[in-house]
Amino acid sequence: MKLTARSVSLVPIVSTVAAAALGASLIMAGNANAATTLGAAAQQSGRYFGTAVAAGRMGDSTYMGILNREFDMVTAENEMKMDATEPSQGRFTYGNADRIVNHARSRGMRVRGHALAWHSQQPGWMQNMSGSALRNAMLNHVTQVATYYRGKIYAWDVVNEAFADGSSGARRDSNLQRTGNDWIEAAFRAARAADPGAKLCYNDYNTDDWSHAKTQAVYRMVQDFKARGVPIDCVGLQSHFNAQSPVPSNYQTTLQNFANLGVDVQITELDIEGSGSAQASNYDRVTRACLAVSRCTGITVWGIRDSDSWRAYGTPLLFDNNGNKKPAYTSVLNALNAGGPGPTTTTTTTTTTTTSNGPGPGDCTASVSLNQWNEGFVATIKVTAGSSALKGWRVTTTLSNGTVTNSWSANRSGTSGTVNWTNVDYNANVPAGQSTEFGFQGTGSGSGLNPTCSAS
């Protein structure tokens, strides 16, 4: 979240919530066994429901009363950012951040750390740096702050808002980006070394619509990181919505597709401008989308009362200026109570089959681990060398009712029917008896892939 208004890209207007879903919410309101707070309701399905907290409002009794009653996860709104924690180079200050962290931990709440590296809200001394000096200063900042809070943070937004808006799918042109395209990877590796127990997240806005170039660019980065072993555990979607940037119709698809890469997804800065039933319906839709994706681990709203919001003019939160619950609050609570212990609209099955092309020197086997859900699948293919080492390999798969949309760690010929895969440079050589993997995502059904392998 920025302190100033950001440019928000337009996304297609979507339909309203189905009447049946709203009816279910209304029924839940009368369920005597339902949880009565947001945090408790989210915990029923193993998730959290959090909020952003400002240290300057911690003397407000109404504000603190709602915080303590309703939420089980806390994000410092500005107090853990770079300008707040390292105002002068090498001089770290944690006073306001500690107030938030200590209060949360004293009440059994977890903490999301926000944010270790960002092009915005940098201290003045860092804004004037460039090149290797800036790179080293950024990595030192990541290391020092993550080390200071080691063991106290559930998840870190390691890097925030590093991709450009618009249709380019490019990285944002920032002073950090100009230190080298690997700066994000370097930040994640530094964070893992400093705090091995925290989940490490990439966080951004305008990544809610699966069709957008920015969303696809972030997806490709996460995909690449997972393929190369760069430590990344989660992706945060800020999800700031208004009339010009409404909840997209494919929002759940976006959550699911990121989750299919093997990372958690978290809704990190949710606010939805509006009022009354329309706002309530949008909050209901977002909450149910998270509940439908098993790796959507929680939701954070960016503030408590409308008056606390960076977009107060749009009345975007769950409590009004006086701290009263709005219809949006009720819709979220009811959706959480109706969510149950697992995914509500997505069915996931995993099967593993192995096909061998026969014994002998130079031969190989291929096996597939298939993760299938209603809209598509992810397949991971393991190539195992036989009695002799491989210097190259070729795998053939059959897609009778599916289409490949993305792939990694292999060259591909075709998208449906018979699809041929060959090694890339870095996984051509496989020692005897050892394995390498590649993978792909598709729409439709991935059943019947029946991979066969041969040396090339």
Side-chain angles (χ1 to χ4, degrees):
M1 191 278 291
K2 292 184 180 178
L3 294 179
T4 57
R6 66 160 57 96
S7 173
V8 181
S9 64
L10 300 180
V11 293
I13 296 176
V14 298
S15 60
T16 59
V17 177
L22 287 177
S25 293
L26 293 174
I27 291 170
M28 285 302 300
N31 185 350
N33 295 320
T36 58
T37 66
L38 299 170
Q43 289 169 19
Q44 295 173 131
S45 62
R47 295 172 171 87
Y48 66 81
F49 202 94
T51 189
V53 173
R57 294 189 176 94
M58 294 181 71
D60 183 324
S61 60
T62 301
Y63 182 92
M64 294 302 292
I66 298 171
L67 169 64
N68 294 339
R69 182 184 74 235
E70 295 288 344
F71 301 100
D72 62 345
M73 181 73 74
V74 163
T75 302
E77 188 169 353
N78 290 292
E79 291 80 356
M80 298 178 82
K81 293 174 181 173
M82 303 178 84
D83 59 350
T85 51
E86 194 179 1
S88 300
Q89 187 171 11
R91 184 175 69 85
F92 293 85
T93 59
Y94 302 106
N96 283 329
D98 281 349
R99 289 180 63 197
I100 295 171
V101 172
N102 293 340
H103 178 81
R105 287 170 56 82
S106 72
R107 300 191 66 88
M109 304 173 182
R110 291 179 291 176
V111 180
R112 293 193 79 261
H114 177 78
L116 290 173
W118 189 22
H119 72 278
S120 186
Q121 287 185 249
Q122 294 177 1
W125 63 266
M126 182 175 281
Q127 295 173 29
N128 296 323
M129 298 179 75
S130 62
S132 60
L134 174 61
R135 170 71 72 96
N136 292 336
M138 179 272 292
L139 292 176
N140 182 64
H141 179 89
V142 170
T143 298
Q144 295 299 323
V145 176
T147 298
Y148 179 83
Y149 284 111
R150 182 171 179 165
K152 297 181 179 180
I153 303 298
Y154 163 75
W156 273 110
D157 290 332
V158 178
V159 172
N160 197 44
E161 301 178 3
F163 283 80
D165 291 319
S167 60
S168 69
R171 295 277 187 90
R172 182 187 298 276
D173 180 22
S174 70
N175 61 348
L176 291 172
Q177 179 63 28
R178 290 189 292 273
T179 69
N181 201 53
D182 64 338
W183 76 272
I184 299 177
E185 175 179 343
F188 272 84
R189 293 191 185 279
R192 175 67 88 223
D195 190 357
K199 290 182 178 291
L200 306 183
C201 307
Y202 176 77
N203 191 55
D204 216 325
Y205 67 97
N206 283 350
T207 53
D208 311 287
D209 190 315
W210 178 243
S211 68
H212 281 185
K214 184 175 182 179
T215 308
Q216 292 295 310
V218 173
Y219 178 90
R220 288 191 296 271
M221 180 191 72
V222 177
Q223 184 181 66
D224 172 62
F225 280 11
K226 293 296 290 184
R228 294 191 296 110
V230 179
I232 185 169
D233 306 304
C234 39
V235 173
L237 280 66
Q238 293 185 16
S239 298
H240 298 293
F241 299 122
N242 56 23
Q244 291 74 42
S245 182
V247 184
S249 59
N250 58 16
Y251 185 68
Q252 182 180 320
T253 297
T254 303
L255 296 175
Q256 184 67 66
N257 285 345
F258 276 112
N260 292 336
L261 292 178
V263 295
D264 291 343
V265 287
Q266 300 170 2
I267 301 170
T268 56
E269 302 184 19
L270 179 64
D271 48 28
I272 307 177
E273 292 185 21
S275 61
S277 61
Q279 183 184 47
S281 294
N282 282 321
Y283 265 105
D284 177 90
R285 291 182 57 242
V286 170
T287 305
R288 290 179 185 277
C290 179
L291 290 168
V293 176
S294 60
R295 292 200 71 154
C296 182
T297 55
I299 298 171
T300 295
V301 288
W302 204 248
I304 295 176
R305 302 165 299 194
D306 285 334
S307 55
D308 304 317
S309 172
W310 67 298
R311 304 198 300 181
Y313 57 85
T315 61
L317 296 174
L318 302 179
F319 297 86
D320 67 19
N321 294 352
N322 296 317
N324 299 312
K325 298 173 183 176
K326 296 165 59 177
Y329 170 92
T330 304
S331 71
V332 170
L333 181 65
N334 290 341
L336 292 170
N337 274 319
T344 56
T345 62
T346 300
T347 301
T348 300
T349 58
T350 301
T351 58
T352 302
T353 60
T354 301
T355 302
S356 170
N357 65 350
D363 278 340
C364 52
T365 60
S367 62
V368 56
S369 177
L370 179 65
N371 183 19
Q372 178 76 53
W373 65 96
N374 291 348
E375 300 175 356
F377 63 90
V378 168
T380 302
I381 307 290
K382 178 182 285 188
V383 175
T384 303
S387 57
S388 297
L390 297 174
K391 296 183 178 180
W393 47 265
R394 176 189 180 94
V395 171
T396 299
T397 58
T398 301
L399 270 173
S400 301
N401 298 296
T403 301
V404 177
T405 56
N406 293 288
S407 59
W408 53 95
S409 300
N411 298 310
R412 182 182 81 237
S413 174
T415 59
S416 61
T418 299
V419 183
N420 293 310
W421 309 85
T422 56
N423 60 272
V424 292
D425 290 344
Y426 61 79
N427 61 9
N429 297 309
V430 184
Q434 301 300 304
S435 301
T436 189
E437 291 184 344
F438 68 94
F440 55 96
Q441 180 177 354
T443 58
S445 174
S447 63
L449 284 169
N450 298 323
T452 59
C453 181
S454 60
S456 63

